[in-house]
C-alpha cells in the first residue's frame, strides 16, 4: 500500500567510488566473453586480492596501514548445494557502506579478520552450480554481496544477487550503480502526477532517485545540491542550492505540500 501523501522526500548517501582492479584486460562494453579468455594468476587455487587486517575503529591505525595486497590468497570455491556463481572481477566500487564495515562498528556486519573488502562488483561468470539456470559461463554481470569479497580476482555470490550488465553501461559504471537499488526502493511509491523532493540529488542514491522519479511520472522533482547542471541534466525541475536557501522555505514546492 502506498502512503496517502503525494510529496516524497529522499535523502541520498555519498556517491560510489569505482576502483579498477588491475587483474585482467577489460572486454568491450556489453561483450560476452568465454572464460578461457581470462587467464588466472599462477596457481589455480590462489588469487590476488586486497586484505583488511584490522578495523579503523580499533587501535591498529589508519586505513593505509590496515589494507594490504596479497597475491596468494585462497581462491573462493562454489558450494554445489547452493545457487552460486564464481565471478572474475573486472571492477569493484567502494561506498559509505564499505567504510562502515571497515570501521568495525557494525554489529551485524563485522567480518572475521582478515577479510576482503568491497561488495559492489562487475565481472565475468567463470563457473556456476547445477542449480543456476539464469546465467552461464561468460556472462558479464553486476552483483552486490553481503559486505565483503569484492576487491579480489575472484568472488563467489548467490545467483539471486546477480543481474546481467546492460550493453549500454560500461564496466566501471556498472560496478558503481548499486546505489540505484536504494533509489528504486525509495521511489517505489511515486506515481504519475506526484511532486517529489530529493535531498542530496548529486549523490549516489539521489542522482538515481531523480531519474527514477521522473520515469515513474512525477510532475515536479526538486532537489538540494550545489551541482545544478548535473541535477538538471538528470531531470530535476528545480535545484535548490542549500548554501544559499533552505529547501523548507521554497514556496513553489512546500506550499503545495501543505
Amino acid at each position: 500500500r502506498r502512503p496517502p501523501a503525494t510529496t516524497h522526500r529522499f535523502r541520498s548517501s555519498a556517491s560510489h567510488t569505482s576502483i579498477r582492479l588491475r587483474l585482467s584486460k577489460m572486454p568491450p562494453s556489453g561483450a560476452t566473453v568465454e572464460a578461457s579468455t581470462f587467464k588466472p594468476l599462477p596457481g589455480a587455487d590462489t588469487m590476488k586480492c586486497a586484505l583488511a587486517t584490522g578495523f579503523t575503529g580499533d587501535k591498529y591505525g589508519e586505513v593505509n596501514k590496515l589494507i594490504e595486497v596479497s597475491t596468494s590468497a585462497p581462491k573462493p570455491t562454489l558450494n554445489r548445494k547452493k545457487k552460486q556463481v564464481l565471478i572474475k572481477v573486472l571492477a569493484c566500487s567502494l561506498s559509505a557502506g564499505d567504510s562502515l564495515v571497515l570501521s568495525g562498528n557494525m554489529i551485524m556486519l563485522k567480518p572475521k579478520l582478515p577479510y576482503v573488502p568491497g561488495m559492489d562488483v562487475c565481472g565475468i561468470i567463470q563457473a556456476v552450480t547445477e542449480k543456476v539456470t539464469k546465467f552461464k559461463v561468460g556472462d558479464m554481470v553486476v552483483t552486490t554481496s553481503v559486505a565483503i569479497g569484492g576487491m579480489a580476482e575472484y568472488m563467489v555470490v548467490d545467483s539471486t544477487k546477480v543481474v546481467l550488465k546492460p550493453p549500454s553501461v560500461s564496466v566501471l559504471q556498472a560496478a558503481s550503480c548499486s546505489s540505484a537499488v536504494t533509489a528504486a526502493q525509495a521511489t517505489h511509491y511515486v506515481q504519475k502526477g506526484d511532486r517529489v523532493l530529493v535531498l542530496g540529488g548529486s549523490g549516489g542514491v539521489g542522482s538515481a532517485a531523480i531519474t527514477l522519479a521522473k520515469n515513474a511520472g512525477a510532475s515536479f522533482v526538486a532537489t538540494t545540491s550545489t551541482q545544478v547542471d548535473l541535477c538538471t541534466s538528470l531531470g530535476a525541475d528545480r535545484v535548490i542550492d542549500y548554501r544559499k536557501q533552505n529547501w523548507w522555505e521554497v514556496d513553489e514546492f512546500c506550499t503545495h505540500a501543505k
Side-chain angles (χ1 to χ4, degrees):
R1 296 173 54 187
R2 68 184 300 271
T6 57
T7 297
H8 311 276
R9 299 170 183 168
F10 307 125
R11 184 179 300 277
S12 82
S13 64
S15 60
H16 279 56
T17 299
S18 182
I19 295 180
R20 179 178 297 181
L21 300 181
R22 297 182 179 179
L23 301 173
S24 60
K25 182 179 179 181
M26 286 191 181
S29 177
T32 297
V33 184
E34 295 298 330
S36 58
T37 302
F38 298 92
K39 296 181 180 180
L41 294 173
D45 297 324
T46 61
M47 67 175 182
K48 180 188 291 186
C49 70
L51 283 177
T53 59
F55 297 111
T56 57
D58 290 341
K59 61 182 180 181
Y60 300 110
E62 300 176 355
V63 173
N64 59 350
K65 298 178 182 179
L66 299 176
I67 296 183
E68 60 186 43
V69 176
S70 172
T71 58
S72 59
K75 179 180 175 180
T77 57
L78 296 171
N79 184 335
R80 298 296 175 181
K81 296 181 180 180
K82 298 182 179 181
K83 293 182 177 181
Q84 292 184 339
V85 298
L86 175 66
I87 297 175
K88 171 75 173 182
V89 177
L90 297 179
C92 175
S93 69
L94 299 178
S95 65
D98 296 287
S99 297
L100 288 173
V101 175
L102 187 59
S103 73
N105 295 325
M106 296 185 68
I107 298 176
M108 300 300 293
L109 288 175
K110 189 170 183 177
K112 182 179 178 181
L113 296 173
Y115 78 94
V116 179
M119 60 183 83
D120 304 317
V121 160
C122 179
I124 304 289
I125 291 183
Q126 298 286 290
V128 301
T129 60
E130 293 181 357
K131 294 185 177 182
V132 176
T133 58
K134 293 184 178 180
F135 305 100
K136 65 183 183 301
V137 171
D139 283 344
M140 187 177 293
V141 295
V142 184
T143 183
T144 296
S145 72
V146 184
I148 64 175
M151 296 188 71
E153 187 179 15
Y154 295 98
M155 182 183 190
V156 168
V157 295
D158 191 298
S159 65
T160 59
K161 300 182 182 297
V162 176
V163 296
L164 292 173
K165 183 186 78 64
S168 60
V169 178
S170 73
V171 169
L172 295 181
Q173 289 171 334
S176 306
C177 71
S178 67
S179 289
V181 176
T182 302
Q185 294 170 339
T187 57
H188 177 72
Y189 295 108
V190 176
Q191 293 186 354
K192 186 176 181 180
D194 284 352
R195 295 168 65 85
V196 178
L197 171 62
V198 179
L199 300 181
S202 59
V205 176
S207 57
I210 292 173
T211 302
L212 291 174
K214 272 294 185 177
N215 290 345
S219 62
F220 182 84
V221 176
T223 187
T224 57
S225 178
T226 59
Q227 300 186 47
V228 178
D229 292 340
L230 171 62
C231 293
T232 300
S233 69
L234 294 172
D237 299 291
R238 177 73 181 272
V239 182
I240 305 165
D241 188 338
Y242 55 81
R243 298 174 301 181
K244 302 177 181 179
Q245 188 176 21
N246 295 321
W247 62 264
W248 56 87
E249 296 175 348
V250 179
D251 292 337
E252 182 181 7
F253 188 75
C254 296
T255 300
H256 187 278
K258 294 180 178 179

